[in-house]
Amino acid sequence: AQKITQTQPGMFVQEKEAVTLDCTYDTSDPSYGLFWYKQPSSGEMIFLIYQGSYDQQNATEGRYSLNFQKARKSANLVISASQLGDSAMYFCAMREEYGNKLVFGAGTILRVKS
Amino acid sequence: DVKVTQSSRYLVKRTGEKVFLECVQDMDHENMFWYRQDPGLGLRLIYFSYDVKMKEKGDIPEGYSVSREKKERFSLILESASTNQTSMYLCASSPPPQGILSPLHFGNGTRLTVT
């Protein structure tokens, strides 16, 4: 069964510094996709970045990058140059190729300090 | 932009009431989902639908049912609300094909309190 683990319930980072949010996953399917979502206090879920299991390069989207280490089954989100608006809950999620479900981790609350 | 609209932002219901949570999407997506979000547990899938009148159970379907009579609308039904169903409910949709590349587009959520 697919499983996502986010071990950091909460994180603090100083404005303008980089921060890494951890995510490990478990699946027996060789083909899968990994997603990160941001949930601000308003409650909306914002899709940030995607990594496919066969992608050779780590995904990047602006200040977001995904540190994908397939052998370690980790897909950490790196946010560079943190901004106050980055304060939110962040969820890691995974979908297997032959499954319909997007399975989420428990989330990490990030607080950016000025 | 994809728009997924949930009819209520906040809802307060009494134990035993039948509760309807409505979700509408405007992008002709085949796939629609209902999740509940609880602190420390993340999002858990209740039900999903990949076509009109089609539905599949997710990880926690007990106490819930769904209805999809039209492509754009997916309703979550609590047959007899209980206090342990107090939660944030999130609806989502995604375009076909239902492949690993498709991110979900979420509504703003309904915070349901059952007293």
Side-chain angles (χ1 to χ4, degrees):
Chain A
Q2 50 184 341
K3 186 179 177 182
I4 294 283
T5 303
Q6 294 179 256
T7 57
Q8 305 153 315
M11 291 277 287
F12 283 96
V13 64
Q14 196 67 37
E15 195 178 8
K16 299 181 186 176
E17 291 185 353
V19 63
T20 297
L21 305 184
D22 294 341
C23 173
T24 58
Y25 60 92
D26 189 24
T27 178
S28 55
D29 196 324
S31 181
Y32 50 89
L34 296 154
F35 302 79
W36 277 91
Y37 282 83
K38 172 185 178 181
Q39 187 182 44
S41 56
S42 57
E44 61 188 306
M45 291 283 283
I46 303 167
F47 166 66
L48 295 178
I49 196 167
Y50 163 83
Q51 178 87 40
S53 58
Y54 291 117
D55 293 342
Q56 297 297 315
Q57 307 258 2
N58 284 345
T60 60
E61 289 287 345
R63 294 186 299 111
Y64 304 108
S65 61
L66 203 154
N67 185 1
F68 181 47
Q69 298 187 43
K70 195 170 182 177
R72 298 178 63 181
K73 292 191 174 179
S74 75
N76 299 338
L77 178 70
V78 180
I79 305 174
S80 63
S82 297
Q83 301 171 357
L84 294 177
D86 293 334
S87 292
M89 176 76 89
Y90 289 81
F91 290 101
C92 180
M94 177 177 69
R95 176 191 282 134
E96 295 169 337
E97 182 173 13
Y98 296 106
N100 283 318
K101 300 189 301 186
L102 192 61
V103 175
F104 286 81
T108 297
I109 298 175
L110 176 67
R111 291 285 178 252
V112 180
K113 299 185 291 185
S114 58
Chain B
D1 260 4
V2 176
K3 194 161 178 65
V4 180
T5 303
Q6 294 184 231
S7 54
S8 303
R9 190 81 174 96
Y10 298 96
L11 214 50
V12 180
K13 295 292 182 181
R14 293 193 182 276
T15 302
E17 277 194 74
K18 190 169 186 175
V19 181
F20 292 85
L21 303 183
E22 305 288 346
C23 175
V24 177
Q25 50 94 4
D26 66 357
M27 283 301 291
D28 205 34
H29 287 173
E30 260 78 3
N31 309 301
M32 297 188 74
F33 306 80
W34 275 106
Y35 286 86
R36 65 176 279 177
Q37 180 181 357
D38 300 288
L41 296 176
L43 280 72
R44 293 178 293 166
L45 183 64
I46 305 171
Y47 267 97
F48 65 97
S49 169
Y50 49 89
D51 204 349
V52 176
K53 296 193 187 294
M54 306 300 285
K55 61 185 179 185
E56 282 197 30
K57 293 180 181 179
D59 297 317
I60 50 164
E62 296 78 18
Y64 303 95
S65 61
V66 290
S67 172
R68 187 133 182 236
E69 296 297 318
K70 293 185 178 180
K71 193 175 187 179
E72 67 270 19
R73 186 180 296 271
F74 191 34
S75 303
L76 180 69
I77 304 157
L78 286 66
E79 296 290 342
S80 177
S82 64
T83 54
N84 63 14
Q85 292 178 310
T86 291
S87 186
M88 170 73 94
Y89 290 87
L90 290 160
C91 175
S93 71
S94 72
Q98 178 62 6
I100 57 175
L101 296 177
S102 301
L104 300 190
H105 301 270
F106 283 87
N108 284 343
T110 296
R111 189 166 291 282
L112 172 68
T113 302
V114 182
T115 61

